[in-house]
């Protein structure tokens, strides 16, 4: 039994003054667990499908909705509209997070799913500027705001939901499927746009082709909503561990934000540090590398798109294996090795990306993708474990969304500005190194949560055999603790 698990079980046994009984250990049914993971991962897949589609269609969207501007201004206007979603994400977290702690995770996740699908679907229906004038970009902005607002409640809720459903021993592996959905969604969205660009003429893409990827979100949203409506509420939410947790929920119902910041500021800072490490790397690879390859290195957009797709496919192949690894070796070692490797390998990776050969940039993007997978795989299990059940959804909404809005979504803009101001095309690598340093500092203070029951939840197991094993271990541990206590008093 890992040290951190023994310590947490001993703390609970001292409080209860007995070993565990059957009613103290929750068995998670396999079919319910699969539905919970699948329905949650689909939301992440949809969110990043939209991200990939919009990123790859940015130039086309600029021409459709901002036709009177220069090409550069069209692209800036398109990305500015895209960035609006990041501005409202924290607001969505502040609204949906407390709701998830009051009325339940499942209800809020069903709401965010339909809002996200509706926002994406509506983009595909908006008439062009040539048809309705200035109303077209305004409607585009409104649709993006709806997407961003719903996304503010999506990732925090999905990670909370899956973490609270997962058996303690397998939480890293099962939660990693959420970010598996993230990168599958991005890869599918960007691949679909790449295929459309190859199959259709420029006029066809401008006329109607660009709408197709957005319209696909409608049927996907209906499927996702159906899956989420079939879910039961998470076991942790259904049954708080003790009356203290229930009173905490009642106390924070009127002022979650103030209570969370005041009471949980340390785990909030740790959450933001991990999110910074993960999302600076994430948006560097997914959001900035295509621009870096075309604008800084001077490659074709087709090569840049394929290069990033290779990285996404590599992450999809790695991520669940790394999630499983985090259950065995711990979350902290995976983060620490990844952060240290990024400090060492960021500059070599960008030197490879700048190479004039074909294969050296592929090696460079594979290195960065591997580091990104090291941060993505354990995050959905690590972040919810920082907070107790009563405030977990709200705290995740605050910590995750504020960090993404401040550091993740700004990464492409900041790094491009640094390159332009300094003339140094290795500035993105230095930016990654800084994120790696912050990540290492964060990991130093991060509690190890692998296989540890969530704060405010019963121990979770995947079978009756695991339940019996844990009950027997708890009685052995309790007897050992009592013997040590008696020996200490006798001495």
């Amino acid at each position: 039994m890992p040290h951190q698990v023994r310590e947490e079980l001993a703390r609970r046994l001292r409080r209860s003054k007995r070993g565990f009984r059957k009613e103290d250990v929750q068995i998670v049914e396999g079919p319910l667990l699969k539905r919970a993971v699948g329905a949650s991962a689909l939301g992440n897949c949809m969110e990043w499908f939209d991200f990939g589609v919009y990123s790859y269609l940015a130039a086309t969207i600029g021409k459709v909705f901002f036709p009177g501007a220069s090409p550069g201004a069209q692209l800036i206007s398109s990305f500015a509209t895209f960035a609006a979603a990041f501005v409202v994400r924290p607001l969505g977290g502040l609204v949906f997070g407390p709701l998830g702690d009051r009325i339940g995770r499942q209800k809020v996740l069903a709401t965010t799913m339909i809002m996200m699908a509706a926002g994406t679907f509506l983009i595909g229906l908006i008439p062009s500027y040539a048809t309705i004038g200035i109303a077209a970009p305004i409607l585009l902005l409104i649709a993006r705001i709806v997407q961003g607002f719903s996304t503010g409640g999506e990732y925090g809720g999905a990670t909370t939901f899956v973490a609270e459903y997962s058996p303690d021993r397998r939480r890293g592996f099962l939660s990693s499927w959420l970010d598996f959905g993230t990168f599958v969604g991005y890869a599918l969205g960007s691949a679909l746009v790449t295929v459309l660009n190859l199959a259709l003429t420029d006029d066809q893409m401008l006329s109607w082709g660009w709408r197709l990827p957005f319209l696909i979100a409608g049927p996907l949203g209906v499927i996702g909503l159906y899956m989420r409506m079939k879910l039961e509420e998470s076991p942790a939410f259904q049954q708080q561990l003790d009356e203290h947790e229930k009173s905490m929920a009642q106390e924070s119902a009127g002022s979650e934000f103030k209570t969370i910041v005041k009471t949980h500021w340390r785990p909030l800072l740790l959450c933001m540090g991990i999110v910074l490490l993960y999302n600076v790397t994430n948006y560097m690879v997914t959001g900035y590398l295509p621009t870096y390859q075309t604008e800084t290195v001077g490659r074709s957009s087709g090569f840049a798109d394929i290069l990033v797709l290779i990285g996404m496919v590599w992450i999809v192949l790695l991520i669940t294996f790394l999630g499983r690894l985090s259950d065995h070796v711990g979350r902290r070692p995976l983060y620490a090795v990844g952060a240290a490797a990024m400090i060492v390998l960021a500059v070599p990776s960008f030197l490879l990306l700048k190479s004039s050969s074909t294969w050296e940039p592929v090696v460079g993007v594979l290195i960065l993708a591997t580091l990104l997978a090291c941060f993505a795989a354990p995050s959905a299990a690590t972040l919810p474990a920082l907070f107790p059940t009563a405030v977990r959804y709200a705290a995740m909404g605050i910590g995750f969304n504020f960090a993404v809005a401040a550091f993740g979504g700004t990464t492409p803009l900041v790094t491009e500005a640094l390159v332009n101001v300094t003339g140094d095309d290795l500035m993105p690598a230095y930016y990654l190194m800084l994120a790696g340093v912050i990540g290492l500092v964060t990991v130093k203070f991060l509690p190890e949560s692998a296989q540890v029951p969530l704060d405010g939840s019963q121990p979770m197991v995947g079978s009756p055999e695991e339940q019996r094993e844990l009950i027997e271990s708890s009685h052995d541990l309790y007897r050992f603790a009592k013997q040590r206590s008696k020996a200490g008093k006798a001495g």
Side-chain angles (χ1 to χ4, degrees):
M1 182 181 294
H3 170 75
Q4 69 271 12
V5 180
R6 190 182 305 112
E7 289 294 313
E8 174 61 19
L9 293 183
R11 184 185 69 81
R12 297 188 180 207
L13 295 172
R14 284 194 300 270
R15 188 170 61 186
S16 63
K17 297 181 181 180
R18 60 173 175 79
F20 290 144
R21 299 168 182 164
K22 277 190 175 183
E23 62 267 22
D24 298 321
V25 181
Q26 177 84 37
I27 300 177
V28 185
E29 297 179 11
L32 277 178
L33 179 59
K34 289 178 181 178
R35 286 206 300 271
V37 173
S40 300
L42 182 60
N44 275 19
C45 185
M46 276 194 57
E47 176 189 345
W48 280 79
F49 176 85
D50 166 64
F51 181 84
V53 165
Y54 200 105
S55 296
Y56 277 51
L57 284 173
T60 303
I61 289 172
K63 293 175 184 177
V64 171
F65 290 96
F66 309 97
S70 65
Q74 288 176 350
L75 191 58
I76 291 171
S77 299
S78 179
F79 274 123
T81 307
F82 177 71
F86 289 96
V87 176
V88 298
R89 276 185 73 152
L91 181 60
L94 289 174
V95 172
F96 287 120
L99 274 177
D101 288 328
R102 292 181 207 165
I103 67 174
R105 285 74 161 115
Q106 184 265 347
K107 295 182 181 68
V108 173
L109 284 173
T111 303
T112 58
M113 168 63 77
I114 197 63
M115 285 182 66
M116 191 161 45
T120 305
F121 185 72
L122 287 174
I123 290 177
L125 298 178
I126 298 172
S128 66
Y129 187 95
T131 304
I132 61 172
I134 192 64
I138 292 174
L139 290 174
L140 176 64
L141 179 63
I142 291 172
R144 287 296 299 160
I145 288 173
V146 170
Q147 287 176 319
F149 188 77
S150 63
T151 301
E154 174 62 33
Y155 187 80
T159 54
T160 294
F161 193 74
V162 172
E164 290 179 347
Y165 248 110
S166 299
D168 299 329
R169 293 181 180 178
R170 303 175 63 211
R171 186 168 293 116
F173 169 68
L174 293 167
S175 297
S176 68
W177 285 95
L178 289 177
D179 288 281
F180 175 90
T182 291
F183 294 104
V184 166
Y186 182 92
L188 289 175
S190 52
L192 177 57
V193 174
T194 301
V195 169
L196 288 174
N197 280 327
L198 293 173
L200 302 177
T201 65
D202 290 344
D203 289 340
Q204 288 173 324
M205 280 297 293
L206 281 172
S207 176
W208 54 269
W210 69 272
R211 298 181 184 276
L212 297 179
F214 293 106
L215 295 176
I216 289 174
L220 283 178
V222 173
I223 295 170
L225 180 63
Y226 173 78
M227 291 177 65
R228 289 191 173 180
M229 292 299 291
K230 299 284 285 184
L231 294 174
E232 295 181 13
E233 191 51 77
S234 74
F237 183 80
Q238 290 182 46
Q239 182 178 7
Q240 298 286 335
L241 189 60
D242 56 29
E243 292 300 321
H244 172 67
E245 293 291 344
K246 292 180 181 179
S247 67
M248 246 181 101
Q250 293 167 0
E251 176 191 349
S252 61
S255 56
E256 270 86 354
F257 180 81
K258 182 179 178 181
T259 302
I260 290 167
V261 172
K262 182 179 178 180
T263 309
H264 302 284
W265 62 269
R266 286 185 180 87
L268 270 178
L269 288 177
L270 293 174
C271 175
M272 294 180 75
I274 292 297
V275 173
L276 183 151
L277 175 67
Y278 171 17
N279 279 273
V280 165
T281 313
N282 188 12
Y283 287 94
M284 186 72 76
V285 175
T286 60
Y288 183 65
L289 275 192
T291 300
Y292 184 81
Q293 285 290 303
T294 55
E295 302 300 321
T296 304
V297 181
R299 294 184 180 274
S300 68
S301 60
F303 181 88
D305 292 347
I306 292 172
L307 188 66
V308 175
L309 271 176
I310 290 172
M312 295 302 100
V313 172
W314 179 239
I315 293 171
V316 167
L317 294 174
L318 278 182
I319 194 164
T320 56
F321 292 100
L322 292 174
R324 190 189 299 273
L325 180 64
S326 78
D327 284 326
H328 295 287
V329 304
R331 325 287 192 226
R332 295 178 76 242
L334 203 57
Y335 282 123
V337 169
M342 190 156 73
I343 295 170
V344 174
L345 297 176
V347 170
S349 296
F350 270 83
L351 290 174
L352 289 169
L353 288 167
K354 289 170 54 182
S355 170
S356 58
S357 75
T358 300
W359 292 108
E360 287 182 3
V362 173
V363 175
V365 83
L366 288 177
I367 292 172
L368 293 178
T370 302
L371 298 177
L372 175 53
C374 288
F375 307 143
S379 287
T382 302
L383 300 177
L386 292 170
F387 307 102
T389 300
V391 297
R392 184 171 293 127
Y393 200 149
M396 279 290 296
I398 294 168
F400 185 85
N401 288 301
F402 274 89
V404 169
F407 306 111
T410 60
T411 293
L413 180 63
V414 171
T415 48
E416 179 65 16
L418 288 172
V419 170
N420 289 332
V421 169
T422 64
D424 186 349
D425 52 15
L426 288 177
M427 288 304 296
Y430 305 145
Y431 199 73
L432 286 178
M433 291 172 69
L434 177 61
V437 171
I438 294 172
L440 277 181
V441 173
T442 302
V443 170
K444 178 177 174 59
F445 298 98
L446 185 71
E448 181 56 73
S449 60
Q451 302 189 35
V452 177
L454 294 174
D455 186 3
S457 295
Q458 292 179 320
M460 307 279 287
V461 296
S463 67
E465 291 76 16
E466 286 185 21
Q467 184 189 50
R468 286 194 295 271
E469 179 186 339
L470 182 57
I471 291 172
E472 291 172 3
S473 297
S474 75
H475 285 279
D476 292 340
L477 186 60
Y478 186 61
R479 282 194 295 268
F480 178 72
K482 285 184 67 176
Q483 290 170 359
R484 286 187 61 185
S485 177
K486 289 179 181 178
K489 290 178 182 178

